[in-house]
Amino acid sequence: MRNPARLLMVLAGLLLLPAFWLPLWSIGLRAPQYSDGLGMYIGIRDIWGHEPHDIQNINILNHYIGMKSIDPAAVDVLSIMPIALGFLIAAALVVATLARPWPIVAWLAVFAALSAAGLYEFWSWNYDYGHNLSPDAPIKVPGMSYQPPIFGRTQLLNITATSYPSWGTLFIGLAFAAGIAAAVLAFRGRGRSPGRRPAPARATTTGTAAALLVVLAGSASLSGCTPRGADAETLPGAETLAPGLPCDYCDGVVPEARFGAELVTVDGARYRFMSTECLAAFILDRGIQPNEIRSARVVDYNHGRRLIDARAAYYVRSPHLPSPNGLGLLAVETEKIARNLHFFFHGERLDWEGVLRTVRAEWQL
Amino acid sequence: MTRKSLYFGLVLAAAAGALALANCNKQAPGSVADIAARTYVPPGEYDEFYAFLSGGYNGQVSVWGLPSGRMLKVIPVFSMDPETGYGFTEETRPLLMTSYGEIPWDDSHHPHFSQTNGDADGRWLFINANNTPRIARIDLTTFETVETLEIPNTGGNHGSSFVTQNTEYVVGATRFSIPVAKDADVPIDSYKENFGGMVSFVAVHPETGRMSLEFQLLVPPYNYDLARAGKGPSADWVFFTTYNTEMAHTLLEIEASRADKDFILAVNWKKLEEAVRDGRARPMEASYYHNYYDPAQGTAVSVAKSGTRVLYPADVPGAVFFLPTPKSPHGVDIDPSGELIVAGGKLATVIPVHSFSKMLAAIEARDFETEVFGIPVLRYESTIAGEVQNPGLGPLHTEFDGKGYAYTSVYISSEIVKWSLSTFEVVDRIDAFYSIGHLMIPRGDNRNPAGKYMLGLTKTARDRFLPVGPKQNHPAQLYDISGDRMVMLSDFPTIGEPHYAQAIEASRLMPQSKRIYSLEENNHPRAIKRPEDARVEREGNVVRVYMAHIRSHQRPDNIEGIMVGDTVYFHHTNVEQDWDVVHGFALKGMTNSEVLIPPGQTRTIKWVPTRPGIYPFYCTAFCSALHQEMQGYVRVSPAGSNPPLLWRTGNETRSDLVARAP
């Protein structure tokens, strides 16, 4: 093993050090009343607010929907993770002194395993907070859970939650990249005759680039995997309308998995819509008769990702509800959920005929 | 018509059309749209200036945004405020204490910012109480009154609360001369023998802002109207206007308007300071109160003080002079350079402008006309720099734009005149609606005024707005003074009677405005830092309820064991640390007041129940989605029934039964 690999392993160990202090992940919450946003950082040892009192304020808001109070002292893994990180750093230094390629690979494997475990732990922590809701919660929206995403953005009632890796994770990624580069160099160096001078700079660059690619791909695949939560389990064979599909009625696109509608006519033509309003307007506009429809389905707002029969769905219309076309119209599967939404958001409850009437009147069709 | 001329005509027509179109896209200067756009602050955006308007007889200060004219806040100062509980809560009542007892009201006239180097520094706002002489200090990080100081030996603190260039002192001046001896019982018509005037120098602590009455200067028995400290070259001096140099004590409207000239009193405060240091001040009997918010105790405290140090003009030669000035002058305003002393002779036909350097030269040359009460009177011709001719009827008060112009409000002819500080000629005039008192340019009394807008504070609205009965609110008019001509932008009603105002760039105050009171730094001895510490305690006939407020409940919200005859103190702590999440407390039959508790603060309200029964209480501030559920009950038992104390929140019930067990 050549000196560059050794140095890279030392560098890998050092790069891990900032992760003791820097946040690994950042979750941001934004609501109409919180235009500045609230947020928290998740670190190796602690969870803290973007601003000094954010955790307290998040807890106060969360108690209405029955979420547990976030108390860093009660999160066991925060006492274990620093040990794991310390171990990785110590191991990196030991591996550097060993000067052999396979220990580097072993180190990388342990590193990857610990990272995966950490991410899983983070996800399951999120899942627990988002799903294990107090039965005494003042605000209960049936079927609603409040798990923030691992990576990306989601709408939870009035709150837009975003979640992204933070600076600490960048350093961890760089440490991993350094480790891979060290491994590449170590393997190459083994094949060379001792007398020849290698081209360390180039090798390092290539190795680092390769390593970075691997890390990026790894993190992308980790973040890309959608955890099978309760929603998914209760929806076997759920059909979806992918966000981004162009609407066949208006110029829009399906904005997110909670919205959208679909029409299949008896002649087999399939149309997709960004909203219930567009489906209704399309039917009214073209004068499509009930006997020409094979199926008309809308996305169940409460679950998202599931298409339900538009003519059997329950609708709530309220200026306080979001809908992509601005009529404040949402479809849900059961009357109970419709009643609940109506209780919180007021407005009116409609059936399919009511939806057609409303769209005809509002859009003057 | 030749083809060529046809083409030429077409081109001309097209050009004219294009020009017309281009004009359509712009708002014509002076059009309604142009004027409206100059005050328009789009939703979600901020005003350029904070303006602080005195409330006059409501004893408050109102805070406004300029140029929009949107009201931002009302700060109770010399008033009781049933909205916030100011003046009702145990923590704020001490601020209203005087040597005459608790006085829940006053007439607040002249707000003045603390200054550094002659420019407003945005730390504090001082304001005077005209009736029972006091000066208050408002903290501009919380926009709350934090201190009041009573001014003894004073008959009406009108010429106040003006600060010196670096806030070394804030001055007071008696409007009414009164007997010099404390609590003297003398015939009123012995005015000339027994009465005297007093101007006061209140030192301001450079870090904490804490005020202390440093010394007073005994002056002749005239009326003292307004004051201003000098700046730059004149920074060591303070100038006061006098009227009633006739020394009338009845029917002043006639008797005090006889003399052609009254005086501006010029005082070198540096020399007074030295004289006090040299022990030349004489002790004088006095009793007064100093009330201030004590961060270490989380509450305001009242301290009774006695005695003052008084200087007599004869003891401080070379420090006190009179400048003859026509006629019953109101304002005495120093231009940004510190050289010109502008008097608003409210019955004068000109605006006299004295020169500070000429004044110094005249003093040096001992160019005195005479001497009254041991004070040298300088010759008018020796100190005058110029007279502004044709200023209108009743010039009152002047501010400056920093670009070489002065703006004087003129009461009787109801207008504002703009005049040049170099030629003393009127260059523009504009109507005021109606009967303008003071005017205000943002930092228009500073060394570097922000001369973009001007606010005229007028006395009567009459037909300006939708009528609201015989008594209407006082208006203010906003003018754009950035151009050669003054342009009136808007006209809006205010609250109280704003006598004077101050304004400062929003960028100076916004960053320091506090969002919460830190619970960690809450040193109130009856604060509770955690909801779990909420409790009820009995000390003899006194029951103390330590109540926590947090969205959306009070803790405890069921209280039993109180008897008729008990005195109950509700110590409310808002344990939230979230901006603008305020809780309130109201209780049926509360003879005191409702109280608002900002995040992190502790506020105490006293209650003496007189009837047994169940008393509902609730949160008065719409704090959250379940605000309407934020409520509770107090049970009051008959006198002598000696029930156990019991308090409950949800399924958690506590009582003092254990403590009472033998």
Side-chain angles (χ1 to χ4, degrees):
Chain A
M1 186 165 166
R2 304 239 155 229
N3 274 344
R6 241 179 237 254
L7 282 177
L8 276 170
M9 278 315 291
V10 173
L11 179 68
L14 293 179
L15 278 169
L16 285 174
L17 274 175
F20 276 114
W21 298 278
L22 290 178
L24 301 185
W25 231 266
S26 170
I27 295 179
L29 307 170
R30 207 167 270 273
Q33 302 84 346
Y34 287 90
S35 54
D36 289 354
L38 291 166
M40 57 183 164
Y41 292 118
I42 290 131
I44 283 278
R45 299 181 297 171
D46 200 4
I47 298 168
W48 65 99
H50 286 180
E51 295 295 325
H53 304 291
D54 275 8
I55 294 287
Q56 178 182 346
N57 294 330
I58 290 168
N59 281 338
I60 288 172
L61 296 181
N62 284 352
H63 98 277
Y64 288 115
I65 48 173
M67 288 174 80
K68 279 185 282 193
S69 198
I70 298 166
D71 176 10
V75 182
D76 294 337
V77 72
L78 294 177
S79 54
I80 299 165
M81 297 231 290
I83 300 173
L85 185 67
F87 166 76
L88 270 182
I89 294 170
L93 300 178
V94 170
V95 167
T97 57
L98 284 179
R100 307 243 305 271
W102 283 109
I104 300 181
V105 173
W107 181 81
L108 284 169
V110 172
F111 192 159
L114 284 174
S115 301
L119 263 182
Y120 176 77
E121 187 58 40
F122 178 41
W123 173 80
S124 55
W125 182 76
N126 268 351
Y127 182 89
D128 180 51
Y129 273 89
H131 287 78
N132 288 338
L133 306 174
S134 163
D136 293 331
I139 297 174
K140 271 181 279 200
V141 183
M144 190 72 197
S145 62
Y146 305 96
Q147 180 179 4
I150 292 281
F151 196 96
R153 162 191 301 258
T154 191
Q155 186 73 29
L156 303 166
L157 295 184
N158 63 329
I159 289 178
T160 309
T162 52
S163 172
Y164 291 104
S166 194
W167 292 106
T169 302
L170 176 72
F171 279 97
I172 290 179
L174 289 174
F176 196 76
I180 289 182
V184 170
L185 287 182
F187 276 115
R188 276 198 187 177
R190 198 163 59 165
R192 293 214 171 92
S193 66
R196 248 174 85 188
R197 195 178 133 74
R202 186 152 168 262
T204 312
T205 322
T206 332
T208 311
L212 263 176
L213 271 178
V214 170
V215 170
L216 285 177
S219 61
S221 65
L222 270 173
S223 63
C225 70
T226 312
R228 276 184 66 84
D231 284 8
E233 279 160 17
T234 54
L235 300 174
E239 290 182 66
T240 65
L241 274 179
L245 272 178
C247 179
D248 284 324
Y249 179 71
C250 67
D251 292 336
V253 295
V254 176
E256 57 173 290
R258 287 178 177 280
F259 301 108
E262 179 209 73
L263 177 73
V264 181
T265 53
V266 283
D267 54 17
R270 181 185 290 261
Y271 304 94
R272 291 177 172 108
F273 307 98
M274 68 186 284
S275 65
T276 304
E277 293 97 304
C278 283
L279 167 65
F282 185 82
I283 290 170
L284 292 169
D285 231 21
R286 301 251 180 134
I288 297 169
Q289 297 305 308
N291 59 7
E292 297 173 56
I293 298 174
R294 183 184 293 165
S295 72
R297 299 192 296 170
V298 290
V299 174
D300 177 0
Y301 174 76
N302 194 38
H303 282 279
R305 301 197 288 275
R306 176 157 63 164
L307 289 164
I308 54 177
D309 184 355
R311 286 166 292 194
Y314 295 85
Y315 299 88
V316 181
R317 185 177 174 225
S318 158
H320 308 301
L321 285 169
S323 79
N325 285 103
L327 289 188
L329 198 59
L330 297 180
V332 292
E333 191 179 20
T334 68
E335 191 181 1
K336 189 177 165 194
I337 295 174
R339 267 208 312 269
N340 248 304
L341 281 173
H342 181 250
F343 176 77
F344 283 110
F345 296 101
H346 305 289
E348 54 180 339
R349 288 170 53 203
L350 299 168
D351 60 7
W352 177 241
E353 290 305 317
V355 169
L356 290 174
R357 271 198 306 278
T358 301
V359 171
R360 184 182 290 125
E362 290 283 343
W363 288 358
Q364 293 167 4
L365 296 168
Chain B
M1 191 185 277
T2 66
R3 180 174 283 192
K4 199 172 171 185
S5 68
L6 184 68
Y7 280 143
F8 187 62
L10 277 174
V11 167
L12 260 186
L19 207 67
L21 273 173
N23 272 344
C24 281
N25 290 336
K26 281 188 191 153
Q27 290 151 1
S31 69
V32 170
D34 166 50
I35 301 288
R38 290 196 235 173
T39 60
Y40 182 66
V41 177
E45 290 185 18
Y46 302 119
D47 276 294
E48 201 178 336
F49 293 96
Y50 280 95
F52 294 79
L53 277 57
S54 74
Y57 39 58
N58 74 15
Q60 304 169 336
V61 168
S62 54
V63 189
W64 304 72
L66 296 182
S68 74
R70 297 187 292 202
M71 194 178 80
L72 303 171
K73 187 176 186 171
V74 173
I75 305 170
V77 185
F78 303 108
S79 64
M80 291 174 83
D81 183 28
E83 175 185 332
T84 56
Y86 178 90
F88 290 94
T89 59
E90 298 300 305
E91 291 78 9
T92 54
R93 279 179 56 190
L95 292 168
L96 300 177
M97 195 62 192
T98 75
S99 59
Y100 300 90
E102 237 174 287
I103 297 189
W105 166 87
D106 219 298
D107 184 11
S108 56
H109 277 227
H110 311 119
H112 210 205
F113 286 130
S114 57
Q115 295 187 359
T116 301
N117 232 341
D119 281 312
D121 57 22
R123 292 191 293 169
W124 310 300
L125 181 77
F126 299 93
I127 184 149
N128 65 323
N130 186 40
N131 181 51
T132 304
R134 285 175 277 181
I135 295 175
R137 184 169 56 91
I138 293 165
D139 182 329
L140 293 181
T141 66
T142 58
F143 294 73
E144 287 197 6
T145 307
V146 291
E147 186 176 9
T148 58
L149 176 70
E150 191 182 354
I151 311 292
N153 304 325
T154 297
N157 187 35
H158 189 270
S160 188
S161 50
F162 302 99
V163 304
T164 53
Q165 179 170 281
N166 285 301
T167 323
E168 294 94 343
Y169 293 96
V170 50
V171 301
T174 195
R175 169 179 164 187
F176 312 96
S177 280
I178 52 168
V180 177
K182 184 190 166 217
D183 299 342
D185 175 24
V186 297
I188 295 170
D189 64 7
S190 69
Y191 184 97
K192 287 180 187 168
E193 298 80 61
N194 288 322
F195 286 42
M198 197 70 86
V199 297
S200 304
F201 290 81
V202 173
V204 179
H205 190 279
E207 262 93 54
T208 65
R210 192 73 59 80
M211 298 185 283
S212 59
L213 178 59
E214 206 60 21
F215 54 87
Q216 298 184 298
L217 176 70
L218 185 67
V219 284
Y222 307 151
N223 286 36
Y224 294 82
D225 201 1
L226 280 168
R228 284 289 180 183
K231 42 185 166 269
S234 54
D236 293 352
W237 294 75
V238 181
F239 305 90
F240 301 86
T241 44
T242 71
Y243 63 107
N244 192 25
T245 51
E246 298 86 347
M247 295 181 280
H249 55 83
T250 180
L251 201 60
L252 264 66
E253 71 167 314
I254 306 293
E255 300 300 330
S257 305
R258 294 192 187 280
D260 279 342
K261 289 196 174 65
D262 295 279
F263 297 123
I264 285 173
L265 172 72
V267 177
N268 185 321
W269 60 263
K270 276 268 164 92
K271 289 200 170 159
L272 299 193
E273 215 176 43
E274 276 167 32
V276 172
R277 219 176 293 137
D278 296 347
R280 277 181 273 162
R282 310 179 193 190
M284 185 179 276
E285 210 187 344
S287 53
Y288 64 101
Y289 267 84
H290 183 203
N291 316 306
Y292 55 89
Y293 177 77
D294 180 3
Q297 299 184 52
T299 178
V301 293
S302 285
V303 182
K305 306 275 241 180
S306 60
T308 65
R309 291 182 290 191
V310 176
L311 288 163
Y312 289 59
D315 297 341
V316 279
V320 185
F321 300 92
F322 275 135
L323 280 66
T325 302
K327 174 179 186 181
S328 298
H330 188 60
V332 51
D333 299 291
I334 317 302
D335 87 311
S337 73
E339 161 64 12
L340 299 176
I341 304 158
V342 181
K346 63 179 183 268
L347 303 177
T349 53
V350 296
I351 300 172
V353 183
H354 295 284
S355 152
F356 176 71
S357 52
K358 283 178 128 183
M359 181 193 96
L360 287 189
I363 291 169
E364 185 74 18
R366 303 188 62 81
D367 187 6
F368 305 142
E369 184 182 282
T370 176
E371 200 179 277
V372 291
F373 294 88
I375 298 171
V377 179
L378 302 169
R379 287 196 320 114
Y380 180 70
E381 296 72 22
S382 307
T383 59
I384 203 76
E387 289 178 339
V388 180
Q389 300 296 327
N390 194 20
L393 294 172
L396 283 185
H397 168 236
T398 303
E399 299 233 318
F400 307 91
D401 64 4
K403 292 175 277 193
Y405 294 97
Y407 300 73
T408 301
S409 59
V410 188
Y411 179 85
I412 300 171
S413 51
S414 190
E415 60 184 328
I416 296 171
V417 294
K418 174 182 178 180
W419 50 276
S420 160
L421 288 171
S422 48
T423 64
F424 303 114
E425 275 170 4
V426 173
V427 296
D428 191 18
R429 54 204 320 148
I430 193 165
D431 288 340
F433 301 91
Y434 299 98
S435 302
I436 184 170
H438 282 236
L439 53 76
M440 182 275 289
I441 292 169
R443 301 196 299 98
D445 63 307
N446 288 182
R447 294 185 77 180
N448 299 291
K452 184 171 179 186
Y453 300 109
M454 175 171 66
L455 196 66
L457 303 167
T458 48
K459 295 302 172 191
T460 48
R462 301 188 78 89
D463 60 355
R464 292 300 285 178
F465 312 115
L466 292 176
V468 288
K471 161 75 183 85
Q472 309 199 98
N473 283 24
H474 296 280
Q477 288 97 40
L478 184 73
Y479 302 88
D480 184 335
I481 56 165
S482 58
D484 290 341
R485 305 291 308 267
M486 297 177 273
V487 179
M488 183 167 153
L489 299 181
S490 68
D491 188 7
F492 56 93
T494 64
I495 62 163
E497 184 190 356
H499 285 263
Y500 181 46
Q502 291 269 277
I504 189 169
E505 289 87 342
S507 57
R508 294 207 189 183
L509 296 194
M510 266 182 76
Q512 68 182 30
S513 178
K514 276 194 182 157
R515 297 190 163 200
I516 54 166
Y517 290 95
S518 163
L519 200 56
E520 240 167 69
E521 292 162 20
N522 180 338
N523 292 319
H524 195 296
R526 314 233 179 243
I528 44 178
K529 304 269 174 145
R530 306 173 308 161
E532 303 89 280
D533 299 332
R535 64 194 184 276
V536 182
E537 287 172 358
R538 175 180 283 284
E539 304 157 4
N541 283 336
V542 171
V543 177
R544 295 188 182 276
V545 180
Y546 297 83
M547 189 178 278
H549 297 249
I550 187 165
R551 280 166 289 172
S552 303
H553 64 278
Q554 296 100 348
R555 195 177 186 93
D557 61 11
N558 284 191
I559 299 162
E560 299 189 7
I562 291 167
M563 290 179 289
V564 171
D566 283 342
T567 297
V568 185
Y569 289 97
F570 290 98
H571 303 292
H572 301 291
T573 303
N574 180 348
V575 294
E576 308 242 19
Q577 294 284 266
D578 198 355
W579 191 20
D580 212 14
V581 176
V582 175
H583 295 295
F585 179 81
L587 176 97
K588 185 190 173 193
M590 167 63 79
T591 49
N592 218 327
S593 167
E594 181 255 3
V595 54
L596 289 183
I597 315 120
Q601 211 174 43
T602 300
R603 284 284 175 261
T604 301
I605 199 92
K606 180 178 153 185
W607 179 48
V608 184
T610 54
R611 287 157 60 184
I614 300 294
Y615 290 78
F617 62 81
Y618 67 99
C619 174
T620 46
F622 205 131
C623 58
S624 58
L626 298 177
H627 152 75
Q628 199 71 348
E629 282 71 16
M630 194 162 170
Q631 63 160 58
Y633 295 100
V634 177
R635 176 182 172 185
V636 177
S637 303
S641 58
N642 209 20
L645 274 186
L646 176 152
W647 61 97
R648 181 184 296 123
T649 318
N651 52 17
E652 184 189 298
T653 305
R654 302 240 173 108
S655 94
D656 68 344
L657 269 179
V658 179
R660 284 153 60 100

